[in-house]
């Protein structure tokens, strides 16, 4: 819509004339991000403080004006492009670090704080903020949560979502809300991870900060083939060694990187791993020994430890300049971020290389070997529309390949507009519908960053969903007949007067304990004791205790909030009987709304969780202590969500 | 096409980029909008708006070249974009594709020719060539008017009042030399505002190259920075001719400021398409020397009680080899007391080259002073006379216990070179 002079005048009165721009030049400069997409907004608003956000959103809601949050706009998916025009809300000036509390280990920041600036403030205090996207010198903490960004350290420390303790947020209708991790009820912060500004505006974040590692050692290891390098990473994980970073390059990329940066990489090898260990001196010593042994078992050709800080910097300079090495070769670089289960990485990479070779496009391949996330860098010139279309086609093919391999379209960059169409390949109709209803609930007028994430006509394009087993079908029928009814596990402490109770006790199958990816897939009714025994038999461990109750109960009751971060995939029946699937055996996912977190701690109100996939470990880990069960009365938003998903059956 | 013909003389045909010679459009189209440049842009750090980021500047030029932004209709906004850049060049250092944003900003300025400053100021600057004494008197008169609040001040003009009355041209006028072995080309600031630095450089030069000759010729830097390319070319041509006619035409040419050095390094690019002049310019560039070249190879450490801070801030970006050379000298002289400060926290608006945005100017000034205060230094070393002037005025106002020293002043620490030369 066009911003009329009357509306502009009102906006100027609301925020101050200096904060509002509608000139052609400003509009042209806020229509892009790091992707190829472009669109023209109708106005740009430079916000000066967080107090301006709620009244502004109220005003926008009253006038039905779409808006897009914008800070550094460094994303690769077109998430900041205003497809429906409207206002750009520039949050760049909301860059104040409000508090750093080293005793309790958190930092309170505004959404526009640049990650690199936060790290610079924390380093002298002996602390760091774990997420480290490659663009950390310019990307913002708020943007990172909106994309659920991560980086090289993700394997050990997790993505942004795992480091956010609390969020202040303004919904598109201008109502402010505050959510805290671990608060009774669904983990609403999880909703924001990967939401790409489509649910409202983040106004403040409380993030975890961690003490800096006392010791750090970096190793460069070269292998004859990509498969052997990946096998080494799997073996390393199996031995219980979780490196701080495991970065990898294929031959083609390492040759171009070495030619460009002269980092001292051997070029006569098939693949290269850059491994970094952190922790105490004794731990590193032990882990180094294991690493060396495993690398030799996998026929490593070179094992080069960085003996000095300068050498470490030199080794990293190669990896860090990989993007630069590619960026010089062509005006545009399309960067993908498909993620697959680690065990599927070698095969997937082989097929990706084949696709790239057949495409006749120049491309390089970099990957975070530890978490199965890989970045094809496709070179093209945007001015050549045929070449651009071809690059998009090739990238879509690669992304589809990731989905076929049991992975996700996006591990850390988000969906935006550029991967939107491929979402229909990853999720079935009911899952996409659940996401769509979620968006509709929080943003009924579709004003917050409209037309992103969920594909158009998904009902026609997306797959119909899996064939349900008999036991799930039975539960589905019961759910439709009985809802609203309490849903219980094996050790439910829910106090209810309802006579009709739906139990997950029939879902007692352990589907898979995968020691290649170190994930377990179990049905929700599996008892924790049975799980512990099965894991012991397989030589694996989980963070769940061998206590009373079921895995689903542990997840939904809210007694184990720290377990949520370990859950990578979920299957569930929603109140309307539709069956949804989200996530899988891959460790990071930025494709769509984080449905896993929404069902976590929901105490059965949002549906029946039927299956969970979660991380397990090769070595004993600290077992979580359960928090006392608190039966919570759903908040109004929670109730609305239940209602939205329940009544959806009528529309569906 | 008619437009491009009209621009042909006023704009560059091609740019010398890190990736080779490219047309302006090809060069600007190489920006893939990754935004990493914003992390080091001192102006963006203060204002946080896309129009003030290097990415925004590149995209603005691209849109103009593609005809998607009308130059005439959007002149005011484009002018703000083009003239809010400090031309420090840090963005190109971190850019994965090493996009020459400074060159693109200058190209945008050329296309906005005449929009930046009143033509009377350009005429005034021409007086430097024809009548330097009159020029100095007019600047003094201008200052008097400024004091009487009859003349609106540029950000830098107010700083002159402390300097100019005491040091107006020609405070130092060395005698003409027969058979010179070196030419010293003082920067505009050294010529008119800080002749003491000029004298120091000249004395240092005379010690190594005797006799040295002083060349009072405008370099064309002012015109180049303000988008008057034909005039800049003309002045550089004069300079090339003067150089060719002095001595055997191969004399080394000594420069005292990094921005002037960087500008003259780009002289061949100014004559793209003019083969004869380009060859002459290439020879000229090979003769350029910076003041750090005059330092003896073996230096002994100097004692200083407080940290010595090096600010490499400069218009057009200090060339990396010169910065490295200066750092090496400072490191040898001051050992652990030498502090290299981060660029973004110590970038100053280009002295005399009017950064238009007062919000940014104030922010940059405070950052720079804050950096000095944070390091509790008493000595700030710079390698540009323009930076020395700007920093000196700031420290005088906000942090008087620290003093600014041009790199040429470090000779006092090296040995008694100055005394020897004078005697």
């Amino acid at each position: 819509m066009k911003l009329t002079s009357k509306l502009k005048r009102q906006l100027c009165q609301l925020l101050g004339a200096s904060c509002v721009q509608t000139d052609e030049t400003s509009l042209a400069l806020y229509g892009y991000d790091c992707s190829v997409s472009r669109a023209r907004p109708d106005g740009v608003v430079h916000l000066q403080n967080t107090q301006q956000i709620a009244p502004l959103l109220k005003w926008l809601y009253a006038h039905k004006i779409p808006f897009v949050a914008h800070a550094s706009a460094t994303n690769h998916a077109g998430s900041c492009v205003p497809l429906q025009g409207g206002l750009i809300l520039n949050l760049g000036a909301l860059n104040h670090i409000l508090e750093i509390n080293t005793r309790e280990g958190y930092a309170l920041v505004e959404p526009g704080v640049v990650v690199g600036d936060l790290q610079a403030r924390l380093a002298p205090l002996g602390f760091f903020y774990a997420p480290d996207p490659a663009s950390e010198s310019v990307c913002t903490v708020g943007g990172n949560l909106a994309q659920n960004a991560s980086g090289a350290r993700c394997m050990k420390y997790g993505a942004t979502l795992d480091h956010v303790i609390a969020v202040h947020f303004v919904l598109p209708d201008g109502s402010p809300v505050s959510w805290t991790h671990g608060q009774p009820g669904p983990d609403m912060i999880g909703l924001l991870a990967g939401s790409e500004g489509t649910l409202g505006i983040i106004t403040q974040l409380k993030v975890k900060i961690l003490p800096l590692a006392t010791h750090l050692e970096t190793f460069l290891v070269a292998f004859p083939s990509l498969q052997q390098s990946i096998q080494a990473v799997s073996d390393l994980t199996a031995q219980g060694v979780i490196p701080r970073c495991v970065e990898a390059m294929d031959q083609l990329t390492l040759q171009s990187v070495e030619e460009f940066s002269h980092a001292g990489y051997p070029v006569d090898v098939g693949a290269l791993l850059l491994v970094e260990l952190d922790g105490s001196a004794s731990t590193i010593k032990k882990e180094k020994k294991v690493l060396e042994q495993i690398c030799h078992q996998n026929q490593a050709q070179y094992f080069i430890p960085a003996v000095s800080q300068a050498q470490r910097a030199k080794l990293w300079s190669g990896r860090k300049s990989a993007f630069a090495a590619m960026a010089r070769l062509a005006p545009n670089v399309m960067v993908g971020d498909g993620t697959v289960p680690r065990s599927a990485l070698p095969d997937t990479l082989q097929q990706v290389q084949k696709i790239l070779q057949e495409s006749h496009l120049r491309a390089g391949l970099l990957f975070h070997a530890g978490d199965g996330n890989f970045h094809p860098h496709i070179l093209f010139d945007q001015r050549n529309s045929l070449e651009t279309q071809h690059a998009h086609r090739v990238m879509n093919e690669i992304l589809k390949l990731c989905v076929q391999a049991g992975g996700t379209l996006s591990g850390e960059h988000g969906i935006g507009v550029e991967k939107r169409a491929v979402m229909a390949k990853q999720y079935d109709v009911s899952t996409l519908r659940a996401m769509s209803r979620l968006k509709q609930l929080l943003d009924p007028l579709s004003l917050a960053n409209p037309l992103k994430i969920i594909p158009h006509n998904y009902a026609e394009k997306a797959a119909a969903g899996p064939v349900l087993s008999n036991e799930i079908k039975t539960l589905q029928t019961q759910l439709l007949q009985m809802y609203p009814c309490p849903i219980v596990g094996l050790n439910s402490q829910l106090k209810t007067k309802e006579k009709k109770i739906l139990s997950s006790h029939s879902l007692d199958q352990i589907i898979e304990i995968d020691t290649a990816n170190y994930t377990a897939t179990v049905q929700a009714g599996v008892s924790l004791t049975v799980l512990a025994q099965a894991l012991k038999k397989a030589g694996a461990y989980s963070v769940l205790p061998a206590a009373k109750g079921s895995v689903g109960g542990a997840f939904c009751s809210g007694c184990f909030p720290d377990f949520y971060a370990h859950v990578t995939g979920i299957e569930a029946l929603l109140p309307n009987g539709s069956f949804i699937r989200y996530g899988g055996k891959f460790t990071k996912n930025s494709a769509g709304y984080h449905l896993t977190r929404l069902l976590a701690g929901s105490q059965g109100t949002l549906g029946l969780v039927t299956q969970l996939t979660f991380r397990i470990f090769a070595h004993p880990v600290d077992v979580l202590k359960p928090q006392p069960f608190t039966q919570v009365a759903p908040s109004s938003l929670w109730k609305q969500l239940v209602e939205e998903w329940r009544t959806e059956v009528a529309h569906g | 096409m008619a437009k491009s013909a009209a621009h042909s003389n006023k704009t560059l045909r091609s740019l010398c980029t890190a990736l080779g010679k490219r047309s302006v459009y090809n060069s600007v189209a190489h920006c893939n909008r990754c935004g990493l440049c914003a992390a080091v842009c001192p102006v963006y750090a203060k204002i946080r708006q896309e129009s003030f980021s290097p990415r925004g500047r590149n995209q603005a030029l691209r849109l103009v070249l593609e005809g998607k932004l009308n130059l005439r209709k959007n002149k005011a906004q484009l002018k703000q974009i083009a003239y809010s850049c400090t031309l420090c060049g840090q963005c190109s250092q971190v850019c994965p594709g090493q996009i020459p944003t400074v060159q693109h900003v200058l190209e945008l300025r050329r296309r906005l020719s005449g929009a930046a400053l009143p033509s009377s100021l350009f005429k005034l600057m021409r007086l430097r060539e024809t009548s330097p004494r009159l020029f100095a008197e007019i600047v003094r008169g201008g200052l008097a008017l400024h004091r009487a609040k009859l003349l609106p001040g540029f950000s830098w003009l107010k700083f002159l009042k402390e300097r100019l009355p005491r040091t107006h041209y020609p405070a130092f006028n060395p005698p003409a030399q027969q058979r010179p072995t070196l030419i010293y080309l003082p920067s505009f600031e050294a010529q008119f505002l800080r002749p003491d630095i000029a004298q120091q450089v000249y004395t240092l030069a005379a010690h190594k190259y005797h006799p040295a000759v002083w060349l009072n010729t405008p370099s064309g830097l002012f015109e180049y920075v303000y988008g008057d390319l034909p005039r800049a070319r003309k002045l550089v041509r004069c300079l090339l001719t003067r150089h060719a006619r002095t001595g055997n035409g191969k004399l080394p040419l000594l420069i005292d400021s990094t921005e002037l050095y960087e500008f003259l390094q780009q002289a061949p690019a100014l004559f793209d398409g003019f083969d004869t002049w380009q060859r002459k310019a290439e020879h000229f560039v090979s003769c350029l020397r910076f003041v750090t070249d005059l330092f003896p190879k073996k230096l002994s450490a100097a004692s200083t009680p407080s940290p010595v801070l090096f600010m490499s801030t400069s218009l057009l970006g200090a060339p990396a080899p010169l910065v490295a050379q200066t750092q090496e000298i400072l490191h040898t002289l001051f050992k652990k007391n030498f502090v290299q400060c981060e660029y973004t926290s110590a970038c100053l608006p280009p002295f005399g080259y009017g950064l238009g945005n007062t919000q940014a100017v104030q922010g940059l000034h405070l950052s720079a002073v804050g950096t000095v205060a944070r390091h509790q230094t008493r000595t700030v070393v710079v390698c540009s006379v323009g930076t020395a002037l700007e920093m000196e005025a700031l420290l005088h106002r906000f942090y008087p216990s620290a003093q600014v020293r041009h790199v040429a002043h470090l000779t006092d620490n090296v040995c008694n070179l100055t005394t020897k030369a004078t005697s």
Side-chain angles (χ1 to χ4, degrees):
Chain A
M1 70 166 289
K2 184 104 177 101
L3 202 64
T4 60
S5 53
K6 188 185 167 190
L7 290 175
K8 193 186 163 188
R9 211 168 38 246
Q10 287 179 8
L11 197 57
C12 290
Q13 280 171 355
L14 189 70
L15 302 169
S18 62
C19 296
V20 184
Q21 284 182 327
T22 52
D23 59 275
E24 202 187 332
T25 313
S26 300
L27 301 186
L29 296 183
Y30 279 91
Y32 57 77
D33 54 21
C34 193
S35 68
V36 183
S37 310
R38 261 175 196 270
R40 190 177 174 279
D42 296 308
V44 181
V45 168
H46 304 292
L47 292 161
Q48 302 303 312
N49 56 60
T50 49
Q51 286 78 40
Q52 289 176 323
I53 296 176
L56 173 63
L57 262 53
K58 258 181 201 154
W59 184 84
L60 291 171
Y61 190 78
H63 293 91
K64 298 181 184 170
I65 299 172
F67 60 89
V68 178
H70 183 294
S72 295
T74 53
N75 79 80
H76 290 273
S79 307
C80 296
V81 177
L83 293 181
Q84 267 194 346
L87 281 192
I88 290 281
L89 311 190
N90 178 18
L91 309 175
L94 308 181
N95 61 344
H96 301 103
I97 298 171
L98 306 169
E99 186 188 349
I100 292 175
N101 190 326
T102 51
R103 191 188 293 173
E104 291 179 35
Y106 70 82
L108 202 61
V109 297
E110 288 184 342
V113 166
V114 172
V115 177
D117 292 348
L118 179 61
Q119 303 285 27
R121 285 280 295 276
L122 293 172
L125 306 172
F127 280 77
F128 77 111
Y129 170 62
D132 61 336
S135 58
E136 69 175 340
S137 63
V138 62
C139 67
T140 59
V141 181
N144 278 193
L145 178 61
Q147 306 289 131
N148 197 19
S150 52
R153 290 197 287 249
C154 178
M155 184 185 181
K156 182 158 189 170
Y157 294 101
T160 303
L161 175 58
D162 303 324
H163 296 271
V164 177
I165 304 168
V167 166
H168 288 297
F169 187 71
V170 180
L171 294 170
D173 63 0
S175 43
V177 285
S178 297
W179 293 323
T180 309
H181 173 68
Q183 72 184 26
D187 187 11
M188 301 299 261
I189 298 176
L191 251 191
L192 303 183
S195 67
E196 304 181 23
T198 58
L199 302 179
I201 304 285
I202 299 166
T203 55
Q204 202 182 85
L205 299 105
K206 187 177 180 183
V207 294
K208 269 184 215 167
I209 56 172
L210 305 170
L212 280 170
T214 46
H215 293 83
L216 209 64
E217 282 205 34
T218 308
F219 306 89
L220 184 77
V221 196
F223 292 89
S225 72
L226 205 56
Q227 280 76 1
Q228 282 159 312
S229 68
I230 303 298
Q231 189 55 48
V233 179
S234 294
D235 293 350
L236 201 60
T237 324
Q239 290 292 318
V241 177
I242 309 289
R244 178 186 167 93
C245 317
V246 188
E247 296 295 285
M249 277 179 236
D250 70 339
Q251 193 180 35
L252 191 78
T253 312
L254 77 90
Q255 280 171 352
S256 60
V257 164
E258 180 56 23
E259 200 177 313
F260 166 69
S261 69
H262 309 293
Y265 293 170
V267 289
D268 55 339
V269 297
L272 208 70
L273 286 185
L274 197 58
V275 186
E276 196 158 87
L277 301 172
D278 67 356
S280 64
S282 59
T283 317
I284 289 188
K285 199 178 170 185
K286 260 188 244 166
E287 291 184 344
K288 183 183 169 183
K289 211 173 169 183
V290 177
L291 174 68
E292 204 167 353
Q293 206 176 12
I294 287 170
C295 289
H296 285 304
Q297 273 168 15
N298 286 287
Q299 290 152 1
Q301 290 163 295
Y302 299 91
F303 184 87
I304 307 167
V307 288
S308 63
Q309 184 59 29
Q311 200 184 352
R312 178 177 172 257
K314 199 178 170 191
L315 291 181
W316 271 109
S317 74
R319 170 62 186 87
K320 285 181 177 170
S321 64
F323 180 69
M326 305 306 287
R328 285 169 193 227
L329 302 177
N332 297 87
V333 186
M334 192 179 282
V335 186
D337 66 323
T339 305
V340 292
R342 197 172 46 239
S343 59
L345 196 55
D347 286 345
T348 313
L349 289 177
Q350 251 179 2
Q351 291 179 58
V352 168
Q353 277 171 336
K354 202 178 157 199
I355 292 174
L356 291 173
Q357 274 165 10
E358 285 169 2
S359 72
H360 301 293
L361 284 167
R362 285 183 297 170
L365 209 50
L366 288 166
F367 45 103
H368 306 301
D371 42 32
N373 181 209
F374 63 95
H375 296 304
H377 288 58
I378 299 179
L379 306 179
F380 68 105
D381 189 341
Q382 194 186 347
R383 291 170 294 174
N384 182 339
S385 60
L386 284 177
E387 197 181 36
T388 310
Q389 281 172 17
H390 185 44
H392 272 298
R393 229 180 356 251
V394 171
M395 185 58 84
N396 284 352
E397 254 184 82
I398 293 172
L399 295 179
K400 283 176 199 168
L401 194 70
C402 294
V403 176
Q404 283 162 14
T408 175
L409 305 172
S410 174
E412 53 189 15
H413 294 172
I415 297 300
V417 59
E418 301 213 332
K419 294 177 214 158
R420 191 179 55 180
V422 207
M423 279 283 276
K425 301 287 170 198
Q426 178 162 347
Y427 298 111
D428 53 38
V429 179
S430 47
T431 311
L432 285 172
R433 192 180 291 138
M435 287 185 188
S436 171
R437 301 295 294 184
L438 195 60
K439 160 81 176 163
Q440 211 164 347
L441 166 71
L442 296 174
D443 184 17
L445 300 181
S446 193
L447 300 179
N449 204 0
L451 306 179
K452 300 285 164 62
I453 302 178
I454 297 162
H456 291 304
N457 306 328
Y458 63 85
E460 294 155 28
K461 289 177 187 169
V467 179
L468 301 182
S469 65
N470 288 337
E471 56 195 358
I472 304 281
K473 273 183 189 167
T474 314
L475 283 169
Q476 190 180 33
T477 318
Q478 287 174 349
L479 188 70
L480 283 171
Q481 286 168 353
M482 292 158 62
Y483 198 84
C485 61
I487 297 172
V488 297
L490 299 181
N491 182 36
S492 179
Q493 296 165 56
L494 272 177
K495 286 173 188 164
T496 176
K497 289 174 184 171
E498 292 278 345
K499 286 182 183 167
K500 290 178 183 175
I501 290 174
L502 191 61
S503 168
S504 65
H505 74 275
S506 60
L507 302 169
D508 57 356
Q509 299 289 312
I510 292 177
I511 312 288
E512 188 186 15
I513 292 175
D514 181 351
T515 47
N517 288 301
Y518 277 89
T519 55
T521 304
V522 302
Q523 287 192 319
V526 168
S527 104
L528 291 172
T529 328
V530 172
L531 173 72
Q533 283 167 357
L535 287 174
K536 196 177 175 186
K537 207 174 164 188
Y541 301 84
S542 92
V543 291
L544 288 174
K548 277 183 185 175
S550 60
V551 179
F555 180 67
C556 294
S557 64
C559 295
F560 295 95
D562 289 340
F563 177 56
Y564 305 163
H566 293 265
V567 178
T568 57
I570 193 170
E571 289 185 3
L573 284 168
L574 296 187
N576 62 11
S578 60
F579 182 75
I580 60 160
R581 287 199 301 186
Y582 180 85
K585 290 201 279 187
F586 39 90
T587 49
K588 52 193 197 184
N589 190 7
S590 293
Y593 303 115
H594 216 302
L595 298 179
T596 311
R597 291 298 179 101
L598 200 61
L599 287 153
S602 63
Q603 301 185 349
T605 52
L606 290 172
L608 168 67
V609 174
T610 57
Q611 187 174 301
L612 289 161
T613 303
F614 53 93
R615 283 191 208 119
I616 53 173
F617 301 88
H619 280 247
V621 284
D622 291 340
V623 171
L624 297 175
K625 283 181 189 163
Q627 289 180 7
F629 177 77
T630 321
Q631 190 165 339
V632 264
S635 63
S636 63
L637 189 66
W638 185 356
K639 275 181 194 163
Q640 284 173 37
L641 187 58
V642 173
E643 194 59 20
E644 188 76 26
W645 275 355
R646 195 173 74 82
T647 54
E648 201 267 333
V649 72
H651 301 282
Chain B
M1 287 306 289
K3 263 186 186 175
S4 61
H7 275 299
S8 62
N9 191 34
K10 293 181 178 176
T11 59
L12 285 178
R13 283 188 187 185
S14 60
L15 300 177
C16 289
T17 72
L19 307 172
K21 197 170 163 180
R22 291 185 172 212
S23 73
V24 177
Y25 182 48
N26 276 339
S27 172
V28 81
H30 213 85
C31 168
N32 63 21
R33 302 183 289 273
C34 69
L36 293 178
C37 48
V40 293
C41 178
V43 179
Y44 179 76
K46 300 293 163 206
I47 304 181
R48 300 259 168 199
Q49 291 179 16
E50 189 69 17
S51 331
F52 297 97
S53 75
R55 175 172 70 173
R57 293 179 189 117
N58 284 323
Q59 292 308 309
L61 177 64
R62 182 176 177 160
L63 291 166
V64 166
L65 294 176
E66 287 175 345
K68 291 175 183 166
L69 263 185
N70 188 300
L71 207 60
R72 280 189 186 175
K73 284 184 189 167
N74 300 290
K75 204 163 196 169
Q77 287 81 28
L78 288 170
K79 193 179 141 189
Q80 196 184 29
I81 289 172
Y83 286 93
S84 65
C85 176
T86 64
L87 306 179
C88 72
Q90 284 298 294
C91 43
S92 303
Q93 306 283 330
V94 297
C95 173
Q98 293 205 320
I99 307 291
T101 306
V102 166
Q103 294 297 327
H104 296 159
V105 170
L106 291 175
E107 199 57 33
L108 190 57
R109 290 183 180 188
R110 284 169 204 139
R111 278 157 209 273
L112 292 161
S113 54
L117 292 170
S119 59
S120 53
L121 194 57
F122 273 104
K123 281 179 189 163
L124 175 69
M125 290 306 280
R126 280 188 199 177
L127 278 180
R128 286 175 306 156
E129 304 155 49
T130 51
S131 179
R133 280 171 190 275
L134 179 60
F135 173 75
E137 292 303 328
I138 290 174
V139 176
R140 288 175 68 191
L143 282 170
L145 288 173
H146 174 63
R147 274 197 294 272
K149 295 182 181 171
L150 294 171
L151 190 73
F154 296 103
S155 70
W156 54 275
L157 200 60
K158 58 184 177 226
F159 300 130
L160 295 189
K161 58 191 167 195
E162 291 169 7
R163 280 279 150 210
L164 200 68
R166 281 188 280 126
T167 60
H168 68 86
Y169 179 89
F172 179 67
N173 196 7
Q177 300 287 353
Q178 297 292 319
R179 291 186 185 177
T181 54
L182 175 121
I183 302 170
Y184 171 39
L185 178 70
S187 59
F188 166 71
E189 293 81 12
Q191 226 174 339
F192 292 96
L193 308 170
R194 287 294 301 268
D196 56 321
I197 294 180
Q199 184 175 2
Q200 182 84 1
V201 175
Y202 183 79
T203 317
L204 184 63
H207 172 70
K208 199 171 177 182
Y209 298 91
H210 193 74
V213 68
W214 179 295
L215 197 60
N216 273 331
T217 303
S219 61
L221 176 62
F222 178 86
E223 289 74 10
Y224 178 73
V225 166
Y226 277 105
D228 187 354
L229 192 63
R231 188 90 196 137
R233 273 198 191 115
K234 190 185 166 191
L235 290 170
V236 174
R237 268 201 303 266
C238 287
L239 200 58
L240 299 185
T241 313
R242 289 282 298 270
H243 177 248
R245 286 180 187 168
T246 311
N248 56 4
K250 291 177 184 173
L251 293 184
L253 198 85
L254 183 66
I255 310 293
D256 58 32
S257 288
T258 42
E259 62 265 30
L260 184 56
Y261 187 89
E262 180 62 18
F263 164 61
L264 293 176
Q265 285 280 344
Q266 290 164 15
L270 295 182
F271 299 106
D272 187 24
F274 306 90
D275 291 347
T276 319
W277 282 107
Q278 200 167 29
R279 271 197 303 279
K280 282 182 184 175
E282 278 161 9
H283 166 68
F284 176 80
V285 167
S286 69
C287 297
L288 291 177
R289 302 284 182 274
F290 192 62
V291 68
T292 44
D293 291 336
L294 299 174
F295 279 68
K297 283 186 181 167
K298 283 186 181 175
L299 294 170
S300 50
S303 62
T304 171
S306 67
V308 173
L309 194 73
F310 174 47
M311 281 189 177
S312 60
T313 175
S314 152
L315 188 70
L316 303 180
L322 296 191
V323 173
Q325 207 176 359
T326 314
Q327 280 174 340
E328 201 182 325
I329 290 169
L330 291 168
H331 187 71
T332 315
L333 286 175
F334 304 111
K335 305 283 181 203
K336 284 180 183 173
N337 270 344
F338 161 55
V339 181
Q340 164 74 48
C341 68
E342 271 187 37
Y343 200 95
T344 37
S345 60
C347 181
L348 289 169
F351 179 83
Y353 294 89
L355 178 77
N357 192 302
T358 45
Q359 194 190 343
V361 168
Q362 206 176 14
L364 294 178
H365 281 164
L366 291 176
S367 287
V369 177
T371 308
V372 175
R374 210 165 34 251
H375 288 97
Q376 297 189 336
T377 179
R378 291 191 167 192
T379 314
V380 179
V381 176
V382 295
C383 45
S384 145
V385 184
T387 309
L389 276 160
E390 186 115 25
M391 198 64 218
E392 197 166 51
L394 282 174
L395 291 182
H396 179 72
R397 192 171 159 201
F398 296 113
Y399 200 78
S401 63
Q403 55 165 332
V404 181
R405 302 183 76 189
H406 186 265
V407 69
H409 281 129
L410 294 178
T411 47
D412 298 344
N413 293 82
V414 178
C415 54
N416 54 355
L417 278 174
T418 322
T419 331
K420 277 182 193 172
T422 318
S423 62

